[in-house]
Amino acid sequence: VQLVESGGGSVQAGGSLRLSCAAHNVRPYCMGWYRQAAGEEREEVAHIGWDESTTYEDSVKDRFTISKDIAKNMIYLQMDRLRPEDTAQYYCAKAKWPGGPCGLDRVLEDWGQGTLVTVSS
């Protein structure tokens, strides 16, 4: 399973970025975005289910939007009103099996290599 992220970069606080993840057959799978800041543990950011239901970590609610494009087999993370504390390596992830619940507690088994987001104050 290959997941390829893109779209990271450097932006000033208050700015926006859109991350993209190319994957195979995204429609029936729970997929998500995670991040890991330097010296910190990896944390869930957002998940999107087979039914396009979405869940978000509290600190990104109302600022980030996860979406999928079934025709292109892509998922996206639109990040608005970025803060310095959003600085991290961001990873795309996919469940190994289709269907099922897709809350932030769903363990996703397949991972991309990540893309770096840096937000300066």
Short mmCIF file of all heavy atoms in Angstrom, two decimals, residues 3-11 17-22 32-38 42-43 45 64 74-79 82 86-93 111-119:
data_model
loop_
_atom_site.label_atom_id
_atom_site.label_comp_id
_atom_site.label_asym_id
_atom_site.label_seq_id
_atom_site.Cartn_x
_atom_site.Cartn_y
_atom_site.Cartn_z
N LEU A 3 1.06 5.37 0.12
CA LEU A 3 0.42 6.63 0.39
C LEU A 3 1.47 7.72 0.20
O LEU A 3 2.56 7.63 0.75
CB LEU A 3 -0.10 6.68 1.83
CG LEU A 3 -1.09 5.58 2.23
CD1 LEU A 3 -1.32 5.59 3.73
CD2 LEU A 3 -2.40 5.77 1.51
N VAL A 4 1.13 8.74 -0.59
CA VAL A 4 2.10 9.78 -0.90
C VAL A 4 1.50 11.14 -0.57
O VAL A 4 0.52 11.56 -1.19
CB VAL A 4 2.51 9.73 -2.39
CG1 VAL A 4 3.54 10.82 -2.68
CG2 VAL A 4 3.07 8.36 -2.75
N GLU A 5 2.11 11.80 0.41
CA GLU A 5 1.66 13.11 0.84
C GLU A 5 2.39 14.21 0.06
O GLU A 5 3.53 14.03 -0.38
CB GLU A 5 1.91 13.34 2.33
CG GLU A 5 1.28 12.32 3.25
CD GLU A 5 2.25 11.24 3.67
OE1 GLU A 5 3.20 10.96 2.92
OE2 GLU A 5 2.05 10.67 4.75
N SER A 6 1.72 15.35 -0.05
CA SER A 6 2.34 16.54 -0.63
C SER A 6 1.63 17.77 -0.09
O SER A 6 0.57 17.65 0.54
CB SER A 6 2.27 16.52 -2.17
OG SER A 6 0.92 16.48 -2.60
N GLY A 7 2.23 18.93 -0.32
CA GLY A 7 1.58 20.17 0.05
C GLY A 7 2.12 20.86 1.27
O GLY A 7 1.67 21.96 1.62
N GLY A 8 3.05 20.23 1.96
CA GLY A 8 3.63 20.89 3.12
C GLY A 8 4.47 22.09 2.72
O GLY A 8 4.75 22.31 1.54
N GLY A 9 4.85 22.88 3.70
CA GLY A 9 5.67 24.05 3.44
C GLY A 9 5.70 24.96 4.63
O GLY A 9 5.30 24.58 5.74
N SER A 10 6.20 26.16 4.41
CA SER A 10 6.30 27.16 5.48
C SER A 10 5.29 28.26 5.25
O SER A 10 5.10 28.73 4.12
CB SER A 10 7.71 27.75 5.49
OG SER A 10 8.67 26.77 5.77
N VAL A 11 4.65 28.68 6.32
CA VAL A 11 3.62 29.70 6.23
C VAL A 11 3.63 30.51 7.53
O VAL A 11 4.04 30.00 8.58
CB VAL A 11 2.24 29.05 5.99
CG1 VAL A 11 1.83 28.17 7.15
CG2 VAL A 11 1.19 30.07 5.65
N LEU A 17 -2.72 26.21 4.33
CA LEU A 17 -2.08 25.23 3.47
C LEU A 17 -3.07 24.11 3.19
O LEU A 17 -3.96 23.86 4.03
CB LEU A 17 -0.84 24.61 4.13
CG LEU A 17 0.45 25.42 4.19
CD1 LEU A 17 1.49 24.70 5.05
CD2 LEU A 17 1.00 25.67 2.80
N ARG A 18 -2.91 23.44 2.07
CA ARG A 18 -3.71 22.25 1.80
C ARG A 18 -2.77 21.07 1.54
O ARG A 18 -1.95 21.12 0.62
CB ARG A 18 -4.64 22.44 0.60
CG ARG A 18 -5.59 21.25 0.44
CD ARG A 18 -6.60 21.43 -0.66
NE ARG A 18 -6.06 21.09 -1.97
CZ ARG A 18 -6.79 20.65 -2.99
NH1 ARG A 18 -8.11 20.52 -2.85
NH2 ARG A 18 -6.25 20.39 -4.15
N LEU A 19 -2.91 20.06 2.37
CA LEU A 19 -2.14 18.84 2.20
C LEU A 19 -2.93 17.86 1.34
O LEU A 19 -4.16 17.80 1.44
CB LEU A 19 -1.84 18.20 3.55
CG LEU A 19 -1.13 19.08 4.58
CD1 LEU A 19 -0.82 18.27 5.84
CD2 LEU A 19 0.12 19.70 4.01
N SER A 20 -2.21 17.10 0.53
CA SER A 20 -2.83 16.10 -0.33
C SER A 20 -2.20 14.75 -0.06
O SER A 20 -1.02 14.66 0.30
CB SER A 20 -2.63 16.46 -1.80
OG SER A 20 -3.19 17.71 -2.12
N CYS A 21 -3.00 13.70 -0.25
CA CYS A 21 -2.51 12.34 -0.08
C CYS A 21 -3.07 11.50 -1.22
O CYS A 21 -4.29 11.37 -1.35
CB CYS A 21 -2.93 11.77 1.26
SG CYS A 21 -2.54 10.02 1.48
N ALA A 22 -2.18 10.93 -2.00
CA ALA A 22 -2.58 10.02 -3.08
C ALA A 22 -2.54 8.60 -2.55
O ALA A 22 -1.54 8.19 -1.93
CB ALA A 22 -1.65 10.19 -4.27
N GLY A 32 -7.02 8.96 7.39
CA GLY A 32 -6.84 10.07 8.30
C GLY A 32 -5.53 10.79 8.12
O GLY A 32 -4.66 10.38 7.35
N TRP A 33 -5.42 11.88 8.85
CA TRP A 33 -4.19 12.66 8.95
C TRP A 33 -3.73 12.67 10.40
O TRP A 33 -4.55 12.81 11.32
CB TRP A 33 -4.42 14.10 8.48
CG TRP A 33 -4.60 14.23 7.01
CD1 TRP A 33 -5.78 14.29 6.33
CD2 TRP A 33 -3.56 14.33 6.02
NE1 TRP A 33 -5.54 14.41 4.98
CE2 TRP A 33 -4.18 14.44 4.77
CE3 TRP A 33 -2.16 14.34 6.08
CZ2 TRP A 33 -3.46 14.56 3.59
CZ3 TRP A 33 -1.45 14.47 4.91
CH2 TRP A 33 -2.09 14.58 3.67
N TYR A 34 -2.43 12.53 10.57
CA TYR A 34 -1.79 12.58 11.87
C TYR A 34 -0.64 13.57 11.78
O TYR A 34 -0.23 13.97 10.69
CB TYR A 34 -1.24 11.19 12.23
CG TYR A 34 -2.30 10.18 12.50
CD1 TYR A 34 -3.11 9.70 11.49
CD2 TYR A 34 -2.52 9.71 13.80
CE1 TYR A 34 -4.11 8.78 11.75
CE2 TYR A 34 -3.50 8.78 14.07
CZ TYR A 34 -4.29 8.32 13.03
OH TYR A 34 -5.28 7.40 13.30
N ARG A 35 -0.13 13.95 12.94
CA ARG A 35 1.03 14.82 12.95
C ARG A 35 1.93 14.49 14.13
O ARG A 35 1.48 13.95 15.14
CB ARG A 35 0.63 16.29 12.99
CG ARG A 35 -0.08 16.71 14.26
CD ARG A 35 -0.57 18.15 14.13
NE ARG A 35 -1.28 18.60 15.33
CZ ARG A 35 -1.93 19.76 15.42
NH1 ARG A 35 -1.95 20.59 14.38
NH2 ARG A 35 -2.54 20.09 16.53
N GLN A 36 3.20 14.81 13.94
CA GLN A 36 4.17 14.61 15.01
C GLN A 36 5.12 15.79 15.02
O GLN A 36 5.86 16.01 14.06
CB GLN A 36 4.93 13.30 14.81
CG GLN A 36 5.85 12.97 15.97
CD GLN A 36 6.37 11.55 15.91
OE1 GLN A 36 6.37 10.91 14.86
NE2 GLN A 36 6.81 11.03 17.05
N ALA A 37 5.08 16.52 16.10
CA ALA A 37 6.00 17.63 16.29
C ALA A 37 7.31 17.11 16.88
O ALA A 37 7.35 16.03 17.48
CB ALA A 37 5.38 18.67 17.23
N ALA A 38 8.37 17.88 16.70
CA ALA A 38 9.68 17.47 17.20
C ALA A 38 9.62 17.23 18.70
O ALA A 38 9.12 18.07 19.46
CB ALA A 38 10.71 18.53 16.87
N ARG A 42 3.19 11.22 18.25
CA ARG A 42 2.28 11.40 17.12
C ARG A 42 0.85 11.52 17.64
O ARG A 42 0.46 10.82 18.58
CB ARG A 42 2.40 10.21 16.18
CG ARG A 42 1.66 10.37 14.87
CD ARG A 42 1.99 9.25 13.94
NE ARG A 42 1.62 7.94 14.50
CZ ARG A 42 2.08 6.79 14.04
NH1 ARG A 42 2.94 6.78 13.04
NH2 ARG A 42 1.69 5.65 14.58
N GLU A 43 0.08 12.41 17.03
CA GLU A 43 -1.30 12.58 17.46
C GLU A 43 -2.23 12.58 16.24
O GLU A 43 -1.86 12.96 15.13
CB GLU A 43 -1.49 13.89 18.23
CG GLU A 43 -1.25 15.16 17.43
CD GLU A 43 -1.59 16.42 18.22
OE1 GLU A 43 -2.11 16.33 19.35
OE2 GLU A 43 -1.35 17.51 17.68
N VAL A 45 -5.15 13.90 13.94
CA VAL A 45 -5.64 15.21 13.56
C VAL A 45 -7.08 15.11 13.08
O VAL A 45 -7.95 15.84 13.56
CB VAL A 45 -4.75 15.85 12.46
CG1 VAL A 45 -5.34 17.17 11.98
CG2 VAL A 45 -3.34 16.05 12.96
N PHE A 64 -9.42 23.14 10.48
CA PHE A 64 -8.98 22.16 9.49
C PHE A 64 -10.20 21.44 8.92
O PHE A 64 -11.19 21.21 9.63
CB PHE A 64 -8.06 21.13 10.12
CG PHE A 64 -6.71 21.63 10.54
CD1 PHE A 64 -6.39 22.98 10.55
CD2 PHE A 64 -5.74 20.73 10.95
CE1 PHE A 64 -5.13 23.43 10.94
CE2 PHE A 64 -4.48 21.15 11.34
CZ PHE A 64 -4.18 22.51 11.35
N MET A 74 -7.81 10.59 -3.82
CA MET A 74 -7.03 11.54 -3.01
C MET A 74 -7.79 11.87 -1.73
O MET A 74 -9.02 11.88 -1.72
CB MET A 74 -6.82 12.85 -3.78
CG MET A 74 -6.07 12.72 -5.08
SD MET A 74 -4.30 12.48 -4.86
CE MET A 74 -3.83 14.10 -4.21
N ILE A 75 -7.06 12.13 -0.67
CA ILE A 75 -7.66 12.80 0.47
C ILE A 75 -6.87 14.09 0.73
O ILE A 75 -5.70 14.19 0.35
CB ILE A 75 -7.76 11.93 1.74
CG1 ILE A 75 -6.39 11.62 2.32
CG2 ILE A 75 -8.52 10.64 1.48
CD1 ILE A 75 -6.49 11.09 3.75
N TYR A 76 -7.54 15.03 1.35
CA TYR A 76 -6.97 16.36 1.55
C TYR A 76 -7.14 16.78 3.00
O TYR A 76 -8.03 16.32 3.71
CB TYR A 76 -7.69 17.37 0.66
CG TYR A 76 -7.64 17.02 -0.81
CD1 TYR A 76 -8.74 16.44 -1.43
CD2 TYR A 76 -6.50 17.26 -1.56
CE1 TYR A 76 -8.70 16.11 -2.79
CE2 TYR A 76 -6.45 16.93 -2.91
CZ TYR A 76 -7.55 16.36 -3.52
OH TYR A 76 -7.51 16.03 -4.85
N LEU A 77 -6.29 17.69 3.40
CA LEU A 77 -6.45 18.36 4.68
C LEU A 77 -6.26 19.85 4.42
O LEU A 77 -5.13 20.31 4.20
CB LEU A 77 -5.45 17.86 5.72
CG LEU A 77 -5.65 18.42 7.12
CD1 LEU A 77 -6.95 17.88 7.74
CD2 LEU A 77 -4.47 18.11 8.04
N GLN A 78 -7.37 20.58 4.41
CA GLN A 78 -7.32 22.03 4.29
C GLN A 78 -7.09 22.61 5.67
O GLN A 78 -7.87 22.37 6.59
CB GLN A 78 -8.63 22.56 3.71
CG GLN A 78 -8.70 24.06 3.61
CD GLN A 78 -7.70 24.65 2.63
OE1 GLN A 78 -7.50 24.10 1.54
NE2 GLN A 78 -7.09 25.76 2.99
N MET A 79 -6.02 23.36 5.82
CA MET A 79 -5.63 23.91 7.12
C MET A 79 -5.68 25.42 7.03
O MET A 79 -4.91 26.03 6.28
CB MET A 79 -4.24 23.43 7.50
CG MET A 79 -4.07 21.92 7.49
SD MET A 79 -2.47 21.37 8.11
CE MET A 79 -1.40 22.03 6.85
N LEU A 82 -3.70 28.86 10.58
CA LEU A 82 -2.62 28.07 11.16
C LEU A 82 -1.93 28.81 12.30
O LEU A 82 -1.82 30.04 12.29
CB LEU A 82 -1.61 27.70 10.08
CG LEU A 82 -2.06 26.54 9.18
CD1 LEU A 82 -1.29 26.54 7.87
CD2 LEU A 82 -1.88 25.21 9.90
N ASP A 86 0.88 24.29 15.28
CA ASP A 86 0.54 23.31 14.24
C ASP A 86 1.78 22.80 13.51
O ASP A 86 1.67 21.87 12.69
CB ASP A 86 -0.42 23.93 13.21
CG ASP A 86 -1.76 24.29 13.80
OD1 ASP A 86 -2.31 23.51 14.60
OD2 ASP A 86 -2.28 25.38 13.46
N THR A 87 2.94 23.38 13.80
CA THR A 87 4.17 22.94 13.16
C THR A 87 4.45 21.48 13.49
O THR A 87 4.48 21.10 14.68
CB THR A 87 5.36 23.80 13.63
OG1 THR A 87 5.16 25.14 13.16
CG2 THR A 87 6.67 23.27 13.09
N ALA A 88 4.60 20.65 12.46
CA ALA A 88 4.81 19.21 12.66
C ALA A 88 5.02 18.54 11.31
O ALA A 88 4.79 19.14 10.25
CB ALA A 88 3.60 18.59 13.35
N GLN A 89 5.45 17.30 11.38
CA GLN A 89 5.42 16.42 10.21
C GLN A 89 4.01 15.83 10.16
O GLN A 89 3.52 15.32 11.17
CB GLN A 89 6.47 15.31 10.37
CG GLN A 89 6.67 14.44 9.16
CD GLN A 89 7.61 15.05 8.14
OE1 GLN A 89 8.07 16.17 8.30
NE2 GLN A 89 7.91 14.31 7.08
N TYR A 90 3.37 15.95 9.01
CA TYR A 90 2.01 15.46 8.86
C TYR A 90 2.02 14.19 8.01
O TYR A 90 2.67 14.13 6.95
CB TYR A 90 1.14 16.53 8.19
CG TYR A 90 0.72 17.61 9.15
CD1 TYR A 90 1.63 18.55 9.62
CD2 TYR A 90 -0.60 17.71 9.60
CE1 TYR A 90 1.26 19.55 10.51
CE2 TYR A 90 -0.99 18.70 10.49
CZ TYR A 90 -0.06 19.60 10.94
OH TYR A 90 -0.44 20.58 11.83
N TYR A 91 1.26 13.20 8.48
CA TYR A 91 1.21 11.90 7.82
C TYR A 91 -0.21 11.54 7.42
O TYR A 91 -1.16 11.78 8.17
CB TYR A 91 1.71 10.81 8.78
CG TYR A 91 3.14 10.98 9.22
CD1 TYR A 91 3.45 11.70 10.35
CD2 TYR A 91 4.18 10.39 8.49
CE1 TYR A 91 4.77 11.86 10.77
CE2 TYR A 91 5.50 10.54 8.90
CZ TYR A 91 5.78 11.28 10.03
OH TYR A 91 7.09 11.42 10.43
N CYS A 92 -0.32 10.92 6.27
CA CYS A 92 -1.58 10.34 5.80
C CYS A 92 -1.58 8.87 6.21
O CYS A 92 -0.53 8.20 6.18
CB CYS A 92 -1.62 10.48 4.28
SG CYS A 92 -3.01 9.72 3.47
N ALA A 93 -2.76 8.35 6.57
CA ALA A 93 -2.85 6.96 7.00
C ALA A 93 -4.14 6.34 6.49
O ALA A 93 -5.13 7.05 6.26
CB ALA A 93 -2.78 6.87 8.51
N TRP A 111 0.80 3.79 6.24
CA TRP A 111 1.25 5.17 6.44
C TRP A 111 2.08 5.67 5.28
O TRP A 111 2.80 4.91 4.62
CB TRP A 111 2.11 5.24 7.71
CG TRP A 111 1.31 4.95 8.93
CD1 TRP A 111 0.98 3.72 9.43
CD2 TRP A 111 0.71 5.91 9.80
NE1 TRP A 111 0.21 3.86 10.56
CE2 TRP A 111 0.04 5.19 10.80
CE3 TRP A 111 0.69 7.31 9.81
CZ2 TRP A 111 -0.66 5.82 11.83
CZ3 TRP A 111 0.01 7.94 10.84
CH2 TRP A 111 -0.66 7.20 11.83
N GLY A 112 1.99 6.99 5.06
CA GLY A 112 2.88 7.63 4.12
C GLY A 112 4.17 8.07 4.81
O GLY A 112 4.36 7.83 6.00
N GLN A 113 5.00 8.76 4.05
CA GLN A 113 6.31 9.21 4.56
C GLN A 113 6.24 10.55 5.25
O GLN A 113 7.16 10.93 5.97
CB GLN A 113 7.31 9.28 3.41
CG GLN A 113 7.64 7.93 2.81
CD GLN A 113 8.24 7.00 3.82
OE1 GLN A 113 9.23 7.33 4.49
NE2 GLN A 113 7.67 5.81 3.98
N GLY A 114 5.17 11.27 5.03
CA GLY A 114 4.99 12.53 5.73
C GLY A 114 5.37 13.75 4.91
O GLY A 114 6.14 13.66 3.95
N THR A 115 4.83 14.89 5.32
CA THR A 115 5.18 16.17 4.71
C THR A 115 5.26 17.20 5.83
O THR A 115 4.44 17.20 6.75
CB THR A 115 4.16 16.56 3.63
OG1 THR A 115 4.57 17.75 2.96
CG2 THR A 115 2.76 16.78 4.20
N LEU A 116 6.25 18.06 5.77
CA LEU A 116 6.54 18.97 6.87
C LEU A 116 5.76 20.28 6.71
O LEU A 116 5.77 20.90 5.65
CB LEU A 116 8.03 19.26 6.93
CG LEU A 116 8.50 20.18 8.05
CD1 LEU A 116 8.21 19.56 9.42
CD2 LEU A 116 9.98 20.49 7.90
N VAL A 117 5.13 20.67 7.80
CA VAL A 117 4.44 21.96 7.88
C VAL A 117 5.11 22.80 8.95
O VAL A 117 5.26 22.34 10.09
CB VAL A 117 2.95 21.76 8.21
CG1 VAL A 117 2.27 23.09 8.50
CG2 VAL A 117 2.25 21.03 7.08
N THR A 118 5.52 23.99 8.59
CA THR A 118 6.16 24.90 9.52
C THR A 118 5.38 26.21 9.54
O THR A 118 5.19 26.84 8.49
CB THR A 118 7.62 25.18 9.12
OG1 THR A 118 8.33 23.94 9.04
CG2 THR A 118 8.29 26.07 10.15
N VAL A 119 4.94 26.61 10.73
CA VAL A 119 4.17 27.84 10.89
C VAL A 119 4.97 28.79 11.76
O VAL A 119 5.29 28.47 12.91
CB VAL A 119 2.80 27.55 11.52
CG1 VAL A 119 1.98 28.84 11.57
CG2 VAL A 119 2.06 26.47 10.74
#
